[in-house]
Amino acid sequence: MALPTPLEAHAFGRYSDSAQIAAYLRMLAAASGGKAVFGCAGRSALGREIPVLLCGVTDPARVASGKLRVMLVGSLHGASEAAGCEALLCLARELLLGELRELLDVFELVLIPNANPDGRDADSFRNGNGVNINRDFVLLEQPESRALDAAVRHYAPAVVLDAHESAVLKRRTLGQEGYLTAFEAQFDVASTPAIPAALRDFATGTLLPQLIAGVQARGLHAQRYIGEIRSRSQPITHGGLTLRMFRNKAGLRGPLTVLLETPMEPKAGQYATYRDIGPRVRKQLLCMRVFLDCIRASAPAIRAAQARAVLELDEPTCALNGSYLRHPPDATLALPLRERASGTRVQSTFADHRTVIAQDPLRIPPQYFVTEHTDMFAELLARHGVAFERLAEAIEVPVVSEVFAGGDEPEAACQRIDELNHRRLIPAGALRVPLSGSHRRLVPLLLEPRSTSSVFRYPAFAGLLQHGQPFFIPRGVDEN
């Protein structure tokens, strides 16, 4: 075998560590004959590099004519979900030295196999600061989440794959009832209602069925992602709807974003390879290959959907929130579970709450003004790549200012009391935040306290809201 991965070189006896992963990617780049370039997307909380391998990318700032740029991200949850990284190392070898080389004629690929190197080396799903970075894409406080968000902006992929795994034994929840989950592969797409409908509809109506059918045709049962099952009596939904998660944040920036999740058997089991990593990698790699096949076949349709989505960004309103509901009111869904003691598969019936409704429509303003805490918000906006300017002198402008309950508890603090349409003196030094492109929807979701993706849903920001006082981030009004 040409250039065995670190996992293969150690006979599947232990996971690859971060240093081995980076060294292997450098070896692939050196052996690729100029088809790949090794780089660093950023540094972890503990200073480890987050490696990136560019395959077939001639100019990071511009996609070659006729090609589609695809980003694949693995192991956002470190060693707790190790197979995505290991599979991406195998995929990189196949793309550069093996049977998938011809895909470089149609794709430019950005591979980030080891998105959480601290968690990788600590056998944890958290980073070196003890944070689940897949819940940090609103505040972007962690260096890993900032690096991934910046990579999406910098490389501007048309499609993103976010590879995860899930333990079939939910020891503290479903396992207490005596059951394990039973699935082989799950896919989902970015689901925040603010994502343009043209992209969301294509993803759910066309791409997801293709992915599921393609994986099942290769002998692996696949389904659309089901949110974590904690009890046999809970309602069933798909994934989360806020920007906290990477796939939703990336999807709002424009790429068609796909979640892949495959299962992990209990750690304590007896397996032919360390923690069953051999079969886990094979399942991930099979799904990744099907993913690339489907993206290749759908490339013209993807471009068309994204062109419609760009036009849709100019629409005057967007939804700040969304929620799941049961529709029709008696809808049910049968899913397989496994009895924990015997391993027997059983069908369980759940209330089906998978219909998403958009809520809290907002007429998108031309701009926002940040009149207080300007340094704090300047840093936040810069982390998100949002352009703004500081006013050199005070101006009086028509604005809409909402009034909130305030307080230290986010949910209560963000309760709206009133809305004022008035002229307001915006002081010198305030931030003016114009809205354009994808930021027309991103910025309202971040700055509007009513949004469940808002920074004000976090205590440090909720405490800035003053009870009964006009909000210090008013919306500008078009005077024409």
Side-chain angles (χ1 to χ4, degrees), residues 454-470:
S454 170
V455 298
F456 294 98
R457 297 291 167 157
Y458 298 83
F461 287 86
L464 304 178
L465 297 174
Q466 300 179 36
H467 175 75
Q469 298 299 311

Side-chain angles (χ1 to χ4, degrees), residues 168-379:
V168 301
L169 172 58
K170 313 298 181 184
R171 194 176 301 276
R172 298 179 182 177
T173 54
L174 187 64
Q176 293 291 325
E177 298 181 13
Y179 292 91
L180 311 175
T181 58
F183 71 92
E184 294 298 325
Q186 298 193 107
F187 292 96
D188 207 356
V189 293
S191 51
T192 298
I195 291 171
L199 208 56
R200 193 172 60 249
D201 292 347
F202 174 80
T204 57
T206 301
L207 182 60
L208 277 179
Q210 289 176 349
L211 289 168
I212 291 167
V215 169
Q216 293 194 148
R218 288 160 177 79
L220 199 62
H221 175 73
Q223 63 186 32
R224 184 167 179 187
Y225 175 81
I226 299 296
E228 184 173 355
I229 300 176
R230 299 176 181 270
S231 169
R232 294 181 74 195
S233 61
Q234 74 175 61
I236 290 297
T237 67
H238 295 306
L241 301 175
T242 74
L243 297 186
R244 294 193 307 159
M245 291 165 288
F246 172 62
R247 73 175 180 279
N248 285 339
K249 178 67 176 302
L252 193 64
R253 291 199 180 279
L256 182 66
T257 306
V258 176
L259 167 73
L260 163 63
E261 184 178 274
T262 54
M264 293 184 293
E265 294 294 325
K267 290 182 180 179
Q270 298 297 313
Y271 308 110
T273 58
Y274 174 71
R275 294 186 184 177
D276 203 31
I277 189 62
R280 287 163 55 194
V281 171
R282 287 194 292 273
K283 289 176 184 178
Q284 284 266 326
L285 189 56
L286 182 152
C287 292
M288 290 174 181
R289 294 182 68 157
V290 170
F291 166 78
L292 291 176
D293 287 344
C294 290
I295 296 301
R296 180 179 188 176
S298 298
I302 291 169
R303 292 189 179 98
Q306 290 179 321
R308 294 193 300 273
V310 169
L311 296 176
E312 196 177 327
L313 291 175
D314 290 330
E315 292 182 357
T317 63
C318 76
L320 290 179
N321 297 307
S323 66
Y324 287 106
L325 82 163
R326 194 175 188 180
H327 181 74
D330 59 350
T332 59
L333 178 67
L335 291 172
L337 298 176
R338 283 161 47 196
E339 291 183 345
R340 185 175 179 181
S342 67
T344 302
R345 291 170 67 91
V346 296
Q347 289 290 107
S348 291
T349 300
F350 297 85
D352 185 350
H353 287 240
R354 293 179 297 161
T355 299
V356 178
I357 55 170
Q359 296 172 311
D360 300 310
L362 173 77
R363 186 168 186 84
I364 302 173
Q367 58 195 353
Y368 285 90
F369 296 97
V370 182
T371 63
E372 300 175 21
H373 313 290
T374 54
D375 289 345
M376 183 178 186
F377 280 87
E379 181 182 357

Side-chain angles (χ1 to χ4, degrees), residues 118-140:
D118 293 347
R120 185 86 186 186
D121 290 354
D123 198 13
S124 172
F125 72 94
R126 302 180 187 274
N127 75 344
N129 288 333
V131 174
N132 176 357
I133 58 177
N134 203 30
R135 298 295 183 270
D136 185 48
F137 285 88
V138 169
L139 296 186
L140 292 180

Side-chain angles (χ1 to χ4, degrees), residues 331 443 445:
V443 172
L445 264 63

